[in-house]
Amino acid sequence: MSSYTARTLPLHRGPAAWSVLLGAQPSARELKAEINADFTIIGAGFAGLSAARRLTQLQPSAKIVVLEAGRVAEGAAGRNSGFMIDLPHDLASDDYAGAGDDRAMIALNRRAIAFAREAVEQYRIDPNYFDAAGKVNGAASAAGHVHNKSYARHLASLGETSEMLDPQQMYELTGSRHYRSGLFTPGTVMLQPAGYVRGLAAGLVGDGVAVFENSAVTGFQKQGGAWQVRTARGAVSTGAVILTVNGHLESFGIETDRLMQLFLFAAMTPELDVDLMALIGGQPRWGVTPSDPMGTTMRRIDTGQGGNRIITRTCAALRPGMAATPRDLERASRVMQRKFDQRFPQLAGLPMQYQWAGHLCLSLNGVSVARQIEPDVFSGCVQNGLGTARGTLTGIAAAERACGYNSDITRHFEAEHPPKRLPPQPFRELGANAVLRWKEWRARDE
Ligand SMILES: Cc1cc2nc3c(=O)[nH]c(=O)nc-3n(C[C@H](O)[C@H](O)[C@H](O)COP(=O)(O)OP(=O)(O)OC[C@H]3O[C@@H](n4cnc5c(N)ncnc54)[C@H](O)[C@@H]3O)c2cc1C
């Protein structure tokens, strides 16, 4: 196949609140000319920007172009919960224990975190946006506590440390009496995701990478010896194309009917004033993932990260058309308000300032697509919901492959099976959403 056309472009529902908190970005540089490049990266999320950084390390004199459909940090990169997790975090399991070689995955996740840390230091990104504070798996029920205990045993078998917190310690941390236990693990980095991603993009620009925003790629094709990458108002003639568009890989006709186009939802309070903070108590920064992977993630941030606020994340919907519907967001917003009120009855009814949906991409068998698609076309896509770390890794892998470089990261992804084929439509959407609702119901208060 030597010609690819983007059938669908990203469509966002609700604001990318993490980016809004940081204030306006400098005006976008849009591609409005025909230019040349050695490497053209499509998509400027965790994967695309990590690919660009890895290319600058491997081929410092190469001409690197990044084309982003919207603004940097306004896609999923500015819509997630910001947990850059080192440990197994298998969303399809009951307790996050992975089905594969967890030791190898932990080592790779830590490579991703080290790669990001180096960028933070080199580009002088605000350390508040990359806070190595660890996280807690909160359990609200006896079943959740059982998950936490089984996960702790699994971690111990891998030689990983964790600490079980009792209800009082959870209360002192979060100000919420909702949790009956919490499993603290120290290795997660809590990102201000938009701050990190914007800082990464700015650093790359300083290193000579040309980042074009509002420059959606409509297609690319082989012409003569080069690939011609088209946007609405410009084109790049390039030696190699790196696709880091996450689920939009399928928009280009790659891995069709094998990628689960999932939307997650989140909500953020307004800035809490002194009186509201006194009502909550607890610590100014913490992150709690649910002991049941289909439960609710909660996070508190402080002024260093965008104001004293609480973020709630819950609900999921599979939308093969690659857009969450207004009804999806309305429903999720109602559920998120209920989850927030349940955890913080002292603030019950506090209206959220921001509510949004974000796109992520999973495969049925939990694999990524980080490999060569055809000569000089590479993919660093499909993060299975863990895109802060996995996206960093797939971006590194795609860049390394594009330079003909092999590492344990490229070998890891190349050894993975292809994504499994999904059931046909409409069964895929109906079936998956029924299962998601059931799992949501089963997670109950978690
Ligand atoms: C509510 C929510 C909470 C989450 N929480 C976490 C978490 O705590 N930890 C974690 O690890 N992950 C989390 N995730 C998942 C994480 O955000 C994603 O896995 C991650 O953003 C994927 O990174 P990526 O670079 O592969 O893709 P993306 O961040 O989606 O970046 C792809 C980019 O490609 C661009 N693009 C697409 N098509 C084109 C085109 N034709 N031309 C040009 N550009 C294009 C898009 O605009 C986008 O910016 C969460 C996601 C959501 C929605």
Side-chain angles (χ1 to χ4, degrees):
M1 199 162 155
S2 294
S3 176
Y4 299 83
T5 302
R7 288 185 308 236
T8 315
L9 294 176
L11 174 71
H12 302 303
R13 194 112 11 238
W18 289 102
S19 194
V20 176
L21 296 184
L22 300 178
Q25 308 195 50
S27 7
R29 180 179 178 202
E30 190 183 336
L31 183 68
K32 292 182 185 164
E34 298 196 356
I35 61 171
N36 296 311
D38 297 308
F39 299 97
T40 299
I41 297 169
I42 309 177
F46 287 91
L49 296 174
S50 302
R53 179 164 163 80
R54 188 68 184 123
L55 287 175
T56 62
Q57 295 171 338
L58 292 170
Q59 295 202 10
S61 54
K63 190 160 180 224
I64 303 162
V65 166
V66 179
L67 299 172
E68 165 55 44
R71 299 300 314 267
V72 165
E74 294 192 358
R79 292 167 182 270
N80 59 69
S81 305
F83 292 67
M84 194 172 204
I85 301 174
D86 58 337
L87 295 173
H89 197 82
D90 186 345
L91 298 179
S93 73
D94 283 341
D95 65 355
Y96 297 114
D101 182 351
D102 278 345
R103 275 199 184 83
M105 206 57 238
I106 293 170
L108 288 180
N109 287 340
R110 289 185 179 153
R111 291 274 297 281
I113 291 173
F115 180 88
R117 178 176 284 116
E118 255 181 51
V120 168
E121 285 163 7
Q122 187 186 329
Y123 297 148
R124 298 179 189 281
I125 297 173
D126 187 335
N128 285 303
Y129 302 165
F130 190 85
D131 183 12
K135 74 162 178 87
V136 174
N137 250 12
S141 64
H145 185 50
V146 169
H147 285 164
N148 262 351
K149 285 202 290 191
S150 108
Y151 188 48
R153 275 195 303 276
H154 181 65
L155 292 179
S157 76
L158 299 170
E160 295 294 333
T161 52
S162 63
E163 184 193 349
M164 195 66 83
L165 307 182
D166 66 20
Q168 181 61 22
Q169 288 171 302
M170 285 302 283
Y171 173 64
E172 284 163 14
L173 178 71
T174 63
S176 169
R177 297 236 180 244
H178 185 71
Y179 299 104
R180 61 177 286 169
S181 78
L183 187 68
F184 173 75
T185 49
T188 291
V189 173
M190 299 301 295
L191 300 174
Q192 202 305 6
Y196 168 73
V197 163
R198 281 197 197 185
L200 189 51
L204 287 163
V205 170
D207 274 353
V209 174
V211 177
F212 295 98
E213 299 172 89
N214 297 333
S215 302
V217 171
T218 51
F220 57 99
Q221 67 194 71
K222 190 95 187 210
Q223 244 170 41
W227 287 95
Q228 307 298 323
V229 182
R230 301 183 305 277
T231 66
R233 304 172 75 179
V236 191
S237 176
T238 189
V241 177
I242 296 180
L243 284 154
T244 43
V245 289
N246 207 8
H248 281 284
L249 189 62
E250 191 172 3
S251 304
F252 286 96
I254 301 166
E255 305 293 8
T256 308
D257 294 327
R258 289 172 188 269
L259 305 184
M260 292 155 73
Q261 310 291 350
L262 201 72
F263 286 81
L264 296 188
F265 303 85
M268 193 184 269
T269 63
E271 169 111 53
L272 304 173
D273 62 21
V274 188
D275 295 338
L276 292 179
M277 283 198 291
L279 276 177
I280 296 181
Q283 298 299 310
R285 280 187 194 180
W286 45 261
V288 176
T289 45
S291 60
D292 181 315
M294 279 305 290
T296 302
T297 299
M298 302 294 297
R299 179 170 175 188
R300 179 156 168 199
I301 59 172
D302 65 13
T303 46
Q305 298 165 319
N308 293 295
R309 298 167 187 271
I310 295 178
I311 300 105
T312 308
R313 190 223 41 83
T314 200
C315 296
L318 188 96
R319 295 291 171 231
M322 299 199 206
T325 65
R327 277 187 66 185
D328 289 337
L329 184 53
E330 275 162 31
R331 181 186 93 83
S333 299
R334 280 195 303 275
V335 177
M336 290 188 288
Q337 184 75 49
R338 183 154 47 79
K339 300 286 180 184
F340 176 85
D341 292 356
Q342 196 183 25
R343 282 154 180 78
F344 296 101
Q346 61 276 47
L347 298 190
L350 179 75
M352 298 293 131
Q353 186 172 6
Y354 304 111
Q355 288 127 335
W356 67 92
H359 186 180
L360 51 94
C361 180
L362 281 69
S363 59
L364 209 49
N365 46 339
V367 296
S368 299
V369 181
R371 58 174 173 81
Q372 180 171 297
I373 303 294
E374 67 165 285
D376 298 321
V377 179
F378 303 88
S379 159
C381 299
V382 190
Q383 322 304 0
N384 292 286
L386 301 170
T388 60
R390 189 81 57 93
T392 303
L393 288 172
T394 61
I396 294 172
E400 290 184 345
R401 291 305 290 123
C403 296
Y405 182 91
N406 289 311
S407 70
D408 49 348
I409 301 180
T410 57
R411 281 187 288 273
H412 168 83
F413 289 114
E414 276 163 8
E416 285 189 330
H417 292 292
K420 270 193 186 156
R421 184 171 285 284
L422 303 174
Q425 279 282 59
F427 305 109
R428 179 189 314 169
E429 191 164 0
L430 293 172
N433 285 317
V435 170
L436 287 169
R437 289 287 186 99
W438 173 72
K439 285 193 169 185
E440 220 176 84
W441 172 83
R442 199 187 57 170
R444 291 194 175 86
D445 293 342
E446 294 302 336

